[in-house]
Amino acid sequence: MNYLIKAPERLHAEIYLPASKSISNRVFILNALCNHSNEIINISACDDTDVMEKALHDESNEINIGAAGTAMRFLTAYLSTKKGTRIITGTERMKNRPIKLLVEALKSLGAEIEYIEKEGFPPLRIKGQTLTGGDISLNGGVSSQYISALLMIAPRMTNGMRLHLTGDIISKPYINLTIRLMRMFGVIVFEEGQTFTVPPQQYSPVANFTVEADWSAASYWYEMVALCRDEEAHISLSGLSADSLQGDASIAKLFDKLGVKTTFTLSGVTLTKKERNTDLPLTFDFVAMPDMAQTVVVTCAMLGIPFRFTGLQSLKIKETDRLEALRTELGKLGYPLTIHDGNCLEWDGKRNKIIQPPVIATYEDHRMAMAFAPISVCRKEGISIADPQVVSKSYPSYWEDLTKSGFSIETGPSVPR
């Protein structure tokens, strides 16, 4: 199935954003690690958090987390501490997403884990037990979710854990998010440079913990305002704050250069248009917020802003290889992108012929669908998105919110892409 998205002439809307998936998934694990748990308020209603919640209450021998990468990593660590033997598996794509570094790290801390099919990849058989803990060293360039997974279970280890990260650390704000949430649940993490020490401790449940709105979901509305021709565009987004726990909140500063003004209000933020202020080509290191790369890459291309973006190495092991996906799909629209060294994406401003009619493939990746749909605001003919249901992974109400904002969405059969 495809959606043909067409935008209204005027962009005025009030949007109630979904809750943060990143916070929800971490709080689920932290709550489960407490001696007793409390209700969590405003949990994200997306596929990934549904999978996490069900898995934590599932007593069967096998847990299938589908395409939820965060759940695979966090639960692999969590199940290593929970008595009993369990199998954790997922989709075919999940079975090809590497997890060896996390598994080997857990084994060095006392875990018993074995690969069922292919060495270094799910599915896994995990025999849960009390882990001894100790000293461990990891490359800081691995997925931050590995690091967060280890940190969250460290207080339950007999000797605690001392984790030293070598080299450059990617997605550091997500590690900071984990540490801040652990502190809210009563656990102290000592940081010295790139070394994190977590003594044995007990988690304490938090009463009335409320999950804040998702800044990554907000990024697509920033993109719409940046791309639209309506100089009076006005979008209100609820539940966001200037002191957010989320590293993706930095997207507001980047979009300020791309022509979007952010005004914080008592209920959230208001987005309006302003003059763009960018050096050409625009350069930015996405190492701290790689999930925002697709949104910004598409925005810059459609605004005709040449760019060179680095720090994208983790995009190759996401729901799809996002570097190749961006190059392929923007190529259909006449934007020839170049990938350098597996961590850099560049566009020099040159254009090629557009493939007519372009249908954007989404590769089972929610962010591909949501980053390309805003293109409709600068194309009278709109834009066609294949397999639009993928947004349920993080923002299930995305298409409904577009419709409420005046966008038209026509449903059609799948066509060759």
Side-chain angles (χ1 to χ4, degrees), residues 246-266:
Q246 301 168 69
D248 286 347
S250 297
I251 198 68
K253 294 180 181 178
L254 187 49
F255 266 95
D256 187 75
K257 296 181 180 180
L258 298 174
V260 182
K261 180 181 177 181
T262 303
T263 303
F264 285 94
T265 66
L266 291 177

Side-chain angles (χ1 to χ4, degrees), residues 1 55 68 80 113 204 304 329 347 375:
M1 181 178 68
S80 297
I113 305 173
S204 301
E329 300 313 307
W347 179 54
I375 289 176

Side-chain angles (χ1 to χ4, degrees), residues 10-12 225 228 230-235 271-273:
R10 301 183 67 220
L11 190 59
H12 286 209
V225 173
C228 76
D230 179 10
E231 293 300 323
E232 301 300 319
H234 186 281
I235 298 290
L271 310 183
T272 52
K273 291 185 78 68

Side-chain angles (χ1 to χ4, degrees), residues 150-197:
L150 294 170
L151 287 171
M152 286 190 288
I153 64 168
R156 297 283 291 269
M157 299 177 189
T158 304
N159 300 318
M161 183 183 72
R162 184 174 180 271
L163 172 63
H164 178 64
L165 300 179
T166 61
D168 295 331
I169 302 175
I170 64 171
S171 302
K172 180 66 185 300
Y174 285 100
I175 300 171
N176 293 340
L177 170 62
T178 300
I179 292 170
R180 290 177 69 181
L181 289 170
M182 289 172 68
R183 287 172 179 163
M184 294 173 74
F185 279 78
V187 163
I188 300 298
V189 178
F190 297 96
E191 297 181 57
E192 185 177 351
Q194 295 193 173
T195 298
F196 302 85
T197 302

Side-chain angles (χ1 to χ4, degrees), residues 15-186:
I15 304 300
Y16 295 89
L17 290 170
S20 166
K21 176 169 69 82
S22 296
I23 294 177
S24 296
N25 280 333
R26 285 164 172 78
V27 172
F28 269 137
I29 295 293
L30 297 176
N31 214 29
L33 288 167
C34 294
N35 289 328
H36 63 279
S37 58
N38 283 342
E39 180 185 1
I40 305 165
I41 301 170
N42 195 39
I43 282 291
S44 172
C46 67
D47 290 351
D48 279 16
T49 50
D50 285 347
V51 163
M52 180 73 82
E53 184 173 24
K54 289 174 183 175
L56 288 169
H57 293 93
D58 188 348
E59 294 299 327
S60 62
N61 293 330
E62 182 170 316
I63 298 172
N64 190 323
I65 53 79
T70 307
M72 173 59 74
R73 289 152 181 173
F74 288 0
L75 287 170
T76 294
Y78 173 76
L79 293 174
S80 297
T81 70
K82 185 175 171 62
K83 292 191 182 301
T85 300
R86 316 287 285 282
I87 291 173
I88 184 167
T89 187
T91 61
E92 283 305 310
R93 169 61 182 168
M94 184 59 62
K95 291 180 180 181
N96 287 284
R97 294 180 71 175
I99 199 167
K100 184 174 183 177
L101 289 175
L102 176 59
V103 169
E104 298 309 309
L106 287 165
K107 285 183 176 181
S108 73
L109 296 166
E112 289 191 33
I113 305 173
E114 58 182 291
Y115 304 109
I116 295 176
E117 294 179 9
K118 186 166 55 174
E119 181 80 11
F121 298 87
L124 307 171
R125 181 178 288 106
I126 304 170
K127 183 179 180 181
Q129 58 196 354
T130 300
L131 304 187
T132 54
D135 289 3
I136 188 171
S137 182
L138 279 181
N139 186 326
V142 303
S143 169
S144 65
Q145 291 178 5
Y146 293 176
I147 298 164
S148 290
L150 294 170
L151 287 171
M152 286 190 288
I153 64 168
R156 297 283 291 269
M157 299 177 189
T158 304
N159 300 318
M161 183 183 72
R162 184 174 180 271
L163 172 63
H164 178 64
L165 300 179
T166 61
D168 295 331
I169 302 175
I170 64 171
S171 302
K172 180 66 185 300
Y174 285 100
I175 300 171
N176 293 340
L177 170 62
T178 300
I179 292 170
R180 290 177 69 181
L181 289 170
M182 289 172 68
R183 287 172 179 163
M184 294 173 74
F185 279 78

Side-chain angles (χ1 to χ4, degrees), residues 383-414:
I383 190 71
S384 289
I385 305 292
D387 305 315
Q389 71 279 358
V390 295
V391 303
S392 63
K393 184 174 175 63
S394 64
Y395 191 166
S397 63
Y398 183 66
W399 303 120
E400 181 182 349
D401 285 349
L402 286 187
T403 302
K404 289 178 180 177
S405 304
F407 288 75
S408 71
I409 300 178
E410 299 175 16
T411 302
S414 297

